[in-house]
Amino acid sequence: MAASTITPKQALGAAVLSVVINSFTSTFLALIVKTGMDSSVVTCYRLLFVSLVMLPWAFSKKSYRENMKTAPFRIWKLFIFYSFTKFGGFVLWAECLRMGAQAFTMTTLSNMQPIMIVVFLYLFYRETTSLRSLVGIFICLIGVTVIGIDNVTSFGSPFIMTLIVICCSFFALNNIFGRKARQHFDLIPMMGISYFASGVLAAIYASMSGASFAIPKDAILPLLGVSFGCTLIGQSMNMWCLKYIKSVTMSLISLLSPFCAAVSAYFMLGEVPQPIVFLG
């Protein structure tokens, strides 16, 4: 579909659908790490599986190859940052779940991303945000604080919350760098190369840490789900939307994800959030 034919309603509809699909990420990852797979290995397979589909596609058309050749060095720098933050965010997300964070809680706490995006956009690009968005973000901050306090109490240490905050910082930067790079790159080559580059980074990290690359039988189905459902479809759809929707708007739409995550976590993991989490 050509860019000129995309309407705001279509872009918003796609954004909502991507949020629903991506809300299953934590549930699938929780099922995988329960089998004992290392977080970096999960990230490696998740990204490399998707790159097997996207990378050949990225080089299949002359227009895609020309698109990559004509990208200026400034765009390639943004792309490198985008790939690195994707790798870091995915690894930390899986690691937090491995350490015992609930899938629903992880998805809910990820809603601190709009706050970080506003801060980073101002620091890096001096972009400002509307008052209405700031009010929504402030309300979001109150909820995140309530949930965060409950999790620090539950884990007996602020370490898990610190990892979650760093993870959300990676995703916020990934959102910003991705939107800036997306203004030049076509979706297919950008996704194909970034998935492959991030997967290679995860493989190097896993190898250096001595992790096993074996895939337990019980991890196969959720690994396929998070790879081809949440990553290939959900993440790529999210990146497609960033060409037509602002980063802050996308993050505000993502506030819908806890409701979807609560349903999947209840039926697939048996997780029932504490009342204070619902309050947050």
Side-chain angles (χ1 to χ4, degrees):
M1 190 179 290
S4 59
T5 65
I6 302 299
T7 66
K9 286 186 178 180
Q10 288 174 324
L12 287 172
V16 171
L17 181 58
S18 73
V19 167
V20 173
I21 295 172
N22 287 327
S23 67
F24 284 83
T25 300
S26 292
T27 304
F28 283 135
L29 288 176
L31 289 170
I32 296 169
V33 296
K34 282 183 177 180
T35 67
M37 282 190 72
D38 185 84
S39 304
S40 57
V41 175
V42 174
T43 302
C44 169
Y45 282 128
R46 175 184 177 183
L47 293 168
L48 291 181
F49 282 171
V50 176
S51 69
L52 290 176
V53 177
M54 299 291 286
L55 196 59
W57 195 2
F59 289 93
S60 64
K61 293 177 63 176
K62 183 178 180 180
S63 60
Y64 291 158
R65 297 192 296 270
E66 289 297 323
N67 178 249
M68 289 183 280
K69 287 180 182 178
T70 57
F73 180 67
R74 175 181 60 85
I75 295 296
W76 279 110
K77 283 198 302 182
L78 289 171
F79 177 82
I80 291 170
F81 291 142
Y82 169 74
S83 299
F84 179 80
T85 51
K86 182 191 293 289
F87 149 71
F90 280 8
V91 170
L92 287 175
W93 190 278
E95 184 64 15
C96 290
L97 290 166
R98 187 192 66 78
M99 294 176 66
Q102 287 192 331
F104 169 80
T105 303
M106 279 292 297
T107 304
T108 305
L109 285 173
S110 71
N111 287 329
M112 71 177 77
Q113 287 181 51
I115 306 165
M116 296 177 175
I117 286 176
V118 168
V119 174
F120 289 144
L121 279 174
Y122 181 77
L123 290 175
F124 294 152
Y125 300 104
R126 289 297 185 265
E127 290 187 17
T128 56
T129 306
S130 68
L131 180 61
R132 184 171 62 178
S133 294
L134 289 174
V135 171
I137 289 170
F138 177 74
I139 296 172
C140 169
L141 178 60
I142 295 174
V144 167
T145 302
V146 171
I147 299 171
I149 292 173
D150 175 66
N151 275 269
V152 170
T153 303
S154 300
F155 287 102
S157 168
F159 180 68
I160 184 68
M161 272 303 302
T162 302
L163 282 184
I164 294 174
V165 170
I166 296 173
C167 175
C168 288
S169 298
F170 271 102
F171 283 134
L173 290 170
N174 184 257
N175 188 304
I176 293 170
F177 294 141
R179 186 170 191 271
K180 295 295 180 180
R182 181 75 174 94
Q183 301 309 308
H184 175 87
F185 279 117
D186 288 333
L187 177 66
I188 302 304
M190 181 173 175
M191 291 291 91
I193 298 175
S194 68
Y195 286 140
F196 180 75
S198 301
V200 170
L201 287 173
I204 293 173
Y205 179 79
S207 298
M208 292 177 63
S209 62
S212 170
F213 282 82
I215 304 177
K217 185 174 69 173
D218 292 340
I220 294 176
L221 287 180
L223 183 57
L224 292 176
V226 77
S227 298
F228 296 107
C230 302
T231 308
L232 178 60
I233 299 175
Q235 292 285 332
S236 298
M237 189 179 293
N238 179 280
M239 181 50 58
W240 177 85
C241 293
L242 283 175
K243 187 168 185 176
Y244 310 100
I245 300 175
K246 292 182 178 180
S247 295
V248 174
T249 304
M250 277 297 297
S251 292
L252 290 174
I253 293 173
S254 71
L255 296 176
L256 296 170
S257 58
F259 299 100
C260 303
V263 174
S264 64
Y266 176 77
F267 285 104
M268 299 174 70
L269 299 171
E271 290 184 0
V272 180
Q274 297 297 319
I276 192 172
V277 175
F278 281 115
L279 175 64

